[in-house]
Structure formats: C-alpha cells, structure tokens
Amino acid sequence: MYRNLIFDWSGTLVDDLGPTLEATNAVFGIHGRAAMDRDEFRRLFRLPYSEFYEEHLPGIALADLEHHFRKAFAESPVAVTVLPHAREKLEWCREHGVRCFVLTSMDRDTFEGQLDDLNMRHYFEATYSGVVDKREVIGSLVENHELDVSQTAFLGDMIHDIVTAKHGGVASVALLTGYTHREVLLAQQPDWLMADLLEFREMLDQHRRSS
C-alpha cells in the first residue's frame, strides 16, 4: 500500500507538547503577552510557526523569538518522550522494507539531539529539520529519493502537515496524538484520520493480508 512514509516529528513520533507550551509562554512573557493554557494552545497554534508568532506577537523578529524559545525549551523540566506505538511502528517499517523519512519544523540542533537521546536515528533513511514551511521541501524530498508518490504518505498531527502532503502529491495521514483537535484536522479532509500509529499499522497489516 505505502512503501515510503514521511513522518512529522513533534506530536507524531514524540510528545513534546509540554516543553513547547512552556517555551511559547516564556516567549509570550518576555514580550508582555498573557500565557496560554494547554487547550487554548492546541486550538490556536499552527504551522508555519512564523505565521503563529506574527499573529500573536506582530512585528517582532523571528530570530529573536526563536532564540528565546529554544533557550526555554532546553531548560524545561518536562521530558520529551517517544509516543506510544511510534517505536513499534518504525520497527514494523524496518521489518517490511518500508522507507522512512522525517520532515519537521523543529530546530535542527534540538532535533538532532532528540534523535540520539531517544535512539531513533537508525530508523530513517534521511531527515529534514529546521523547515519552517514544509511545502517548500516535500517536493525535493520526493524527487531526491525517487519516491513513487502513489506509494508515499506523509504522517502528521497538524493542518500544515495535511496541506504539505497534498502539495507534494502524496497521501495525507492525520494523527490525533499531537497538537491539533480532531474536528480541525477532519475539516482539512485528510486521506486518513487515525487515533495513533497503532491504528495506522493495523490498517496496513490488514491491507497486506488481503492483497
């Protein structure tokens, strides 16, 4: 069914919502804006994150915002953890010869550190991090790795991930494990809306058995 899977990182393979919310509120505090609670953040946060910050902190240089965000994220006592079923899904991909990639907006240094700390680097043929607008990269990713778009899916937890998948001509798999509520994702009409990676893996297993 799908021989190539492109994964978002935050909210798709790892849970970093806690430190991300703390870091965002730290940035807001520096610039005199009220903090968001978890539910408000999930309703309002979006990618590209440059647009989110321009809406809530207009006119402030993105480089300044990123500097304070990264510092607060690194200092957060809340750990980043692998989401349930994520490692098992990646092991399943290795077992069945499915090629795996990462396309994430996360800062490159932070992402590279998490790859090693969580022992996940070996699962991926290539990773693309620090990508503010994923639509600008997915086409070259597909082309550089000679991926058949009919056999490729992009998995993510945000509207931008669905839009990016459609922009790149690949299937969109929206997951409910991250930053965005179900009704918001459903309104974007992804090809698949899954509770988690276990449900997605079970769907692929069923397809393999029936084909």
Side-chain angles (χ1 to χ4, degrees), residues 92-107:
W92 182 94
C93 289
R94 293 181 71 186
E95 179 183 348
H96 293 90
V98 176
R99 301 168 68 189
C100 293
F101 305 83
V102 172
L103 176 56
T104 176
S105 295
M106 178 174 284
D107 165 66

Side-chain angles (χ1 to χ4, degrees), residues 145-197:
H145 298 281
E146 300 180 335
L147 306 184
D148 181 343
V149 294
S150 69
Q151 297 183 345
T152 303
F154 182 42
L155 296 83
D157 66 304
M158 300 188 72
I159 290 173
H160 185 62
D161 298 321
I162 300 171
V163 172
T164 296
K166 293 179 178 181
H167 184 79
V170 303
S172 56
V173 181
L175 297 168
L176 299 175
T177 49
Y179 285 55
T180 312
H181 292 293
R182 177 188 182 90
E183 62 272 15
V184 177
L185 293 173
L186 193 60
Q188 298 299 312
Q189 300 182 318
D191 293 299
W192 307 99
L193 181 66
M194 300 284 176
D196 52 31
L197 286 171

Side-chain angles (χ1 to χ4, degrees), residues 104-167:
T104 176
S105 295
M106 178 174 284
D107 165 66
R108 183 172 286 105
D109 290 342
T110 303
F111 170 71
E112 292 290 333
Q114 290 183 16
L115 268 182
D116 291 330
D117 290 345
L118 299 172
N119 191 29
M120 297 181 73
R121 186 180 296 277
H122 59 288
Y123 291 122
F124 306 109
E125 183 174 328
T127 61
Y128 296 75
S129 56
V131 180
V132 175
D133 190 334
K134 300 174 190 176
R135 291 170 295 184
E136 297 177 355
V137 173
I138 191 166
S140 58
L141 190 162
V142 168
E143 181 179 356
N144 291 345
H145 298 281
E146 300 180 335
L147 306 184
D148 181 343
V149 294
S150 69
Q151 297 183 345
T152 303
F154 182 42
L155 296 83
D157 66 304
M158 300 188 72
I159 290 173
H160 185 62
D161 298 321
I162 300 171
V163 172
T164 296
K166 293 179 178 181
H167 184 79

